[in-house]
Amino acid sequence: MAFEPIENYGVIGNMESIALVGMNGSIDFFCYPDFDSPTVFAALLDDQRGGRFEIRPQIGDMRVRQLYFPDTNILLTRFLSEEGVAELTDYMPVQKNAGQPNQIVRMVSVIRGNVTFKMSCQPRFNYAASDHELQSSDRCATFFPAHKSCPPMSLYSTVAIDRRSQDISAEFSLQAGESATFVLGGLRAEGEQLEMALLRQRFLETAQFWKTWVSKSNYKGRWGEMVLRSALVLKLLISRKHGSLIAAATFSLPESIGGVRNWDYRFTWLRDAAFTLHALIRLGFLDETEAFFDWVKGRLGEDAPRGPLQVMYGVDGRQTLDEISLDHLCGYENSRPVRIGNAAYQQLQLDVYGEMMNSLYLANKYGHGISHAEWQEVRRVREWLRHNWRRPDEGIWEVRGGPREFLHSRVMCWVAFDRALRLAYKRSLSGPLDVWQRTRDEIYNDIFTNFWNEELKSFVQAKGTKDLDASALLMPMVGFINPVDPMWLSTMRAIEKDLIEDTLVRRYRVERTHVDGLPGTEGSFTACSFCYVECLARAGELEKAQLLFEKLLGYANHVGLYSEELGADGRHLGNFPQAFTHLALISAATYLDRALSGTKNEVWREI
């Protein structure tokens, strides 16, 4: 089988793990039992060795449609031909109590005709590096991985199954009105049968969970379907157990086909999580803010080697995320190396201090007030930053070409002190506010002095360079500069000329700056495209912003999902689905919608 395009997948999950379901009826990526656990299926990264769970009707001239049940993360794949019509429903039950074994439920049914199906379940545990033993009966198979980190799994079926070496297969026929169900997940109690009544109940409970959650949204704007789909994606990426957020469901999907820019995104970046909170707050989802704030509390007292905070953590808060290459896997379309872990956790990225402080500020604004002990930790972190904000770092893009003094890092250091001051004044909290204010103003003046290039009439990527960077688009969005300030408008024009094609925005000129220390190229960065739209809207260019935003919506896949980047040919690249892209969509949509409706903000910045 050939590799499916990245955009040919829908996703299902239960806020503990996520599976990618192709339009061909194959689950080609699934980590078990958690987001960052080893894979069980990884055909997406190696078509021959990775393993898959496939259910496919045996009908000719078949057309396929894939869609979500409205307001849920339950996926329906419909196969249509003159011979018959069949539907495959995939979901992961949202259990009432966290900690119960994760399960994938796959139910295939026939709407018209008599259809034969072939099912193949080929698990390849521990990133396809470990063998397993198999015990099977007529309707049940249990896989026992040799690697101790991988728990056993069982496949339960309502039709007869066959053993093929260490895999399970089945061939069966269904007439109109008939269905077959397969459940893959944790072991059941000995002798427990697969009861259809229980499965129907779980389906209804799972559908009701997602619909109830979506109903809390206060968004009534123009792009409701896409905005709420993005919210549902973000919810899938938030850990139910820990309250943290993973950046994407996958690892090592390439930023360019055949290239080496292949990273593991199944971890919690403080940056992505903070921006996600802001996006969900805009839609009225506040429970996630409280859960993330609880997770953050555990990080404030866990100093990292390069400063009080790390760039990223494991979903459970662990600090060590060693980067390893899986040389036995060929990679998506032979894009090597295939990496798990992420060495960027050891980098210094000063912008995370601003994003963390902004998330704490928002959590206090919309949730419970900060405690005395937590505020003392905030003060301690601010004191460290006061002495370190001038340091070169690896920046928002996690470059591997050596540290520099990056504009975005400097701006977010300003945010760190600005939000600390605002929170202190709003909550009447104690602290060296005069010192913080002097530091904030010193950073502010440093940016205008050392990061403005008079020749380009633009803010530049790093001190002493003439390179542009799309991360500058966040400057008006975090309140550093007025979105109609002439210096900002001139910067935006320079970025448009150098980094933007129509509505597609590059992060920076890879081939010219060599800032990331890596060979090859990358695609346009879709989150930056949505940031550009929001900057246009904030600058009052509403017609242009709306046109480009709606064109961007056309780059979503068939079920409204986005990966990290878009290639020159419009194909999706990078890990999928990407939180940063979907939160940027929500941010742009909500701001643009209010601007088009003539809603006036009390201030020009939302803080």
Side-chain angles (χ1 to χ4, degrees), residues 422-447:
R422 291 176 178 273
L423 181 56
Y425 285 126
K426 286 179 181 293
R427 298 291 189 185
S428 299
L429 300 170
S430 65
L433 305 189
D434 56 337
V435 176
W436 290 356
Q437 184 166 340
R438 286 197 300 272
T439 304
R440 181 190 65 178
D441 295 346
E442 188 176 356
I443 298 171
Y444 181 88
N445 292 329
D446 175 75
I447 292 170

Side-chain angles (χ1 to χ4, degrees), residues 252 259-263 325-327 329-331 335-339:
S252 272
V260 302
R261 299 164 185 265
N262 316 319
W263 314 109
S325 293
L326 303 178
D327 295 332
L329 296 178
C330 71
S335 302
R336 284 178 165 170
V338 176
R339 296 183 177 97

Side-chain angles (χ1 to χ4, degrees), residues 210-514:
W210 293 118
K211 289 178 179 291
T212 299
W213 185 79
V214 165
S215 70
K216 298 177 183 178
S217 171
N218 58 19
Y219 182 77
K220 308 298 181 186
R222 294 164 173 78
W223 304 286
E225 185 174 350
M226 289 296 292
V227 168
L228 293 181
R229 177 52 51 196
S230 290
L232 282 161
V233 170
L234 294 180
K235 183 64 173 175
L236 272 184
L237 298 173
I238 295 175
S239 170
R240 185 184 182 194
K241 290 190 288 188
H242 304 290
S244 51
L245 168 110
I246 60 170
T250 58
F251 61 89
S252 272
L253 291 181
E255 296 176 16
S256 62
I257 300 300
V260 302
R261 299 164 185 265
N262 316 319
W263 314 109
D264 191 345
Y265 278 7
R266 300 170 300 158
F267 305 118
T268 299
W269 272 255
L270 294 183
R271 174 188 310 114
D272 298 54
F275 287 142
T276 296
L277 285 184
H278 199 178
L280 292 177
I281 285 171
R282 285 184 172 195
L283 300 179
F285 299 111
L286 303 181
D287 292 344
E288 290 70 25
T289 302
E290 291 293 329
F292 179 67
F293 188 37
D294 288 340
W295 183 86
V296 163
K297 293 174 186 176
R299 313 289 79 76
L300 289 174
E302 300 173 347
D303 284 8
R306 291 177 176 261
L309 298 176
Q310 284 193 175
V311 177
M312 71 184 84
Y313 298 85
V315 180
D316 58 0
R318 71 186 186 280
Q319 291 183 314
T320 302
L321 308 171
D322 292 336
E323 188 171 292
I324 301 169
S325 293
L326 303 178
D327 295 332
H328 62 285
L329 296 178
C330 71
Y332 180 85
E333 292 197 13
N334 298 309
S335 302
R336 284 178 165 170
V338 176
R339 296 183 177 97
I340 57 172
N342 199 311
Y345 84 92
Q346 298 174 307
Q347 290 185 348
L348 176 66
Q349 297 178 23
L350 292 171
D351 66 296
V352 301
Y353 290 90
E355 284 123 10
M356 170 68 87
M357 193 63 236
N358 193 52
S359 68
L360 293 175
Y361 175 83
L362 291 172
N364 275 265
K365 183 175 180 180
Y366 294 99
H368 298 305
I370 193 169
S371 71
H372 174 75
E374 292 154 5
W375 180 245
Q376 299 313 305
E377 291 291 348
V378 169
R379 290 182 57 176
R380 184 178 67 85
V381 172
R382 293 288 77 71
E383 185 63 18
W384 181 90
L385 188 60
R386 186 169 70 86
H387 294 288
N388 288 274
W389 63 265
R390 294 181 181 85
R391 290 174 61 180
D393 70 346
E394 280 81 9
I396 183 175
W397 307 131
E398 302 177 351
V399 300
R400 302 197 178 194
R404 302 188 184 190
E405 293 185 58
F406 285 105
L407 169 66
H408 178 73
S409 296
R410 201 60 50 91
V411 168
M412 294 311 294
C413 286
W414 176 89
V415 169
F417 287 98
D418 181 73
R419 300 308 192 266
L421 284 165
R422 291 176 178 273
L423 181 56
Y425 285 126
K426 286 179 181 293
R427 298 291 189 185
S428 299
L429 300 170
S430 65
L433 305 189
D434 56 337
V435 176
W436 290 356
Q437 184 166 340
R438 286 197 300 272
T439 304
R440 181 190 65 178
D441 295 346
E442 188 176 356
I443 298 171
Y444 181 88
N445 292 329
D446 175 75
I447 292 170
F448 280 94
T449 301
N450 294 313
F451 293 84
W452 173 260
N453 185 286
E454 186 61 30
E455 179 184 346
L456 298 174
K457 299 294 183 184
S458 174
F459 291 101
V460 292
Q461 180 186 59
K463 185 177 179 180
T465 73
K466 293 185 178 181
D467 302 316
L468 301 182
D469 194 307
S471 63
L473 295 167
L474 292 168
M475 293 174 72
M477 294 169 61
V478 299
F480 178 81
I481 192 170
N482 191 309
V484 294
D485 186 298
M487 294 179 75
W488 169 248
L489 294 177
S490 176
T491 298
M492 191 161 65
R493 298 288 92 86
I495 291 174
E496 288 173 340
K497 182 177 180 181
D498 193 48
L499 300 179
I500 299 177
E501 296 176 328
D502 190 43
T503 190
L504 303 179
V505 182
R506 295 185 179 273
R507 296 188 293 180
Y508 47 86
R509 287 288 182 181
V510 171
E511 71 282 359
R512 190 171 66 215
T513 64
H514 305 294

Side-chain angles (χ1 to χ4, degrees), residues 118-167:
K118 286 187 177 181
M119 182 279 293
S120 178
C121 183
Q122 305 168 357
R124 299 292 182 266
F125 294 95
N126 190 33
Y127 303 107
S130 297
D131 295 330
H132 64 268
E133 295 183 1
L134 173 61
Q135 295 178 3
S136 63
S137 63
D138 182 50
R139 302 291 174 101
C140 177
T142 302
F143 305 94
F144 296 94
H147 198 274
K148 62 182 180 180
S149 69
C150 303
M153 301 181 74
S154 285
L155 174 67
Y156 303 92
S157 170
T158 59
V159 298
I161 56 176
D162 298 314
R163 177 171 180 165
R164 299 283 180 89
S165 184
Q166 295 300 92
D167 302 330

